[in-house]
Amino acid sequence: AQSVTQPDIHITVSEGASLELRCNYSYGATPYLFWYVQSPGQGLQLLLKYFSGDTLVQGIKGFEAEFKRSQSSFNLRKPSVHWSDAAEYFCAVVRGGSGNTPLVFGKGTRLSVIA
Amino acid sequence: NAGVTQTPKFQVLKTGQSMTLQCAQDMNHNSMYWYRQDPGMGLRLIYYSASEGTTDKGEVPNGYNVSRLNKREFSLRLESAAPSQTSVYFCASRAPGKGSHQPQHFGDGTRLSIL
């Protein structure tokens, strides 16, 4: 079965500092990977996705993520965090080529940004 | 461009009452999903519908029923609400299964409290 682990429940960073949120997945074959962001009281918004090609993918709001098959990881990064990035971030995985199979989500990492 | 619309946004029920949560999407998506979100648990799949006329259980289906009324609408019913079903419920939809790299699009959620 597919699973996703986000090791950090809560991270606090200073505004302007760099950010890396960790995501590890468990699936033997080619996974398709996603990062979503959830602002308080809102639904989930897609930041970026990976399914093939270049292992470094760019997303919205200045985020990027790197797929590392050898480490089963898909970490999310941003060079300079803004106060508006405070939110909860979810990593998700689905089996490649599985049609309409639902995504499996990690438990999320809550990001706080301090001045 | 409404996307995924959920109604109601908030609801308070008494134990034993029944209720139907409504979800509609206007993106011509085949697949639709119901998740619940609880603190520290991430998103857990309740039921999903890969296409009109089909439904399948997810990770936590007990106490719920679903109906895929047509391609646009996918409702979630609590027949006899219990306090353990207090949660935020999210509906999502996904583009036709041409590739499972298609992301899921989420509604803004229904916040349900059961007393």
Side-chain angles (χ1 to χ4, degrees):
Chain A
Q2 304 154 73
S3 67
V4 177
T5 302
Q6 294 181 246
D8 304 305
I9 296 172
H10 183 207
I11 286 180
T12 300
V13 301
S14 298
E15 191 170 15
S18 64
L19 171 70
E20 182 169 28
L21 302 182
R22 297 183 290 164
C23 172
N24 294 97
Y25 65 89
S26 171
Y27 185 64
T30 301
Y32 291 171
L33 297 154
F34 305 81
W35 274 101
Y36 284 84
V37 61
Q38 183 183 31
S39 298
Q42 301 296 314
L44 278 72
Q45 180 184 20
L46 179 70
L47 282 175
L48 48 78
K49 66 181 182 182
Y50 169 80
F51 62 98
S52 68
D54 193 346
T55 56
L56 183 64
V57 294
Q58 303 297 321
I60 62 171
K61 305 186 181 190
F63 285 91
E64 65 179 26
E66 186 170 13
F67 170 58
K68 293 185 178 180
R69 185 184 299 276
S70 61
Q71 298 177 18
S72 298
S73 69
F74 188 54
N75 294 349
L76 182 71
R77 302 194 294 245
K78 186 169 185 177
S80 177
V81 169
H82 188 262
W83 64 266
S84 61
D85 293 324
E88 188 144 22
Y89 292 79
F90 293 93
C91 182
V93 65
V94 70
R95 186 178 74 238
S98 60
N100 295 305
T101 304
L103 273 62
V104 175
F105 286 84
K107 294 185 178 181
T109 297
R110 185 161 63 90
L111 174 65
S112 297
V113 180
I114 58 175
Chain B
N1 188 11
V4 179
T5 303
Q6 293 183 236
T7 56
K9 295 191 183 304
F10 303 92
Q11 185 70 48
V12 179
L13 294 177
K14 294 181 179 178
T15 298
Q17 286 186 314
S18 61
M19 170 157 193
T20 299
L21 279 59
Q22 307 287 350
C23 175
Q25 52 90 11
D26 62 1
M27 296 174 284
N28 199 36
H29 287 172
N30 285 351
S31 304
M32 298 184 74
Y33 312 84
W34 276 106
Y35 291 88
R36 61 177 289 174
Q37 183 179 28
D38 303 290
M41 301 296 290
L43 280 83
R44 294 182 290 170
L45 183 69
I46 305 171
Y47 271 94
Y48 70 103
S49 172
S51 61
E52 187 178 354
T54 68
T55 60
D56 286 284
K57 294 179 180 180
E59 181 184 356
V60 289
N62 291 347
Y64 304 96
N65 286 302
V66 290
S67 295
R68 184 72 184 267
L69 304 171
N70 48 55
K71 191 171 186 178
R72 289 187 64 248
E73 298 172 287
F74 188 38
S75 62
L76 178 72
R77 182 160 178 85
L78 287 69
E79 291 291 352
S80 179
S84 60
Q85 295 177 304
T86 293
S87 188
V88 182
Y89 292 85
F90 286 99
C91 178
S93 69
R94 194 173 183 196
K98 180 175 169 181
S100 45
H101 59 82
Q102 297 294 335
Q104 291 179 186
H105 298 261
F106 285 82
D108 286 338
T110 294
R111 284 145 188 82
L112 183 62
S113 293
I114 299 161
L115 307 177

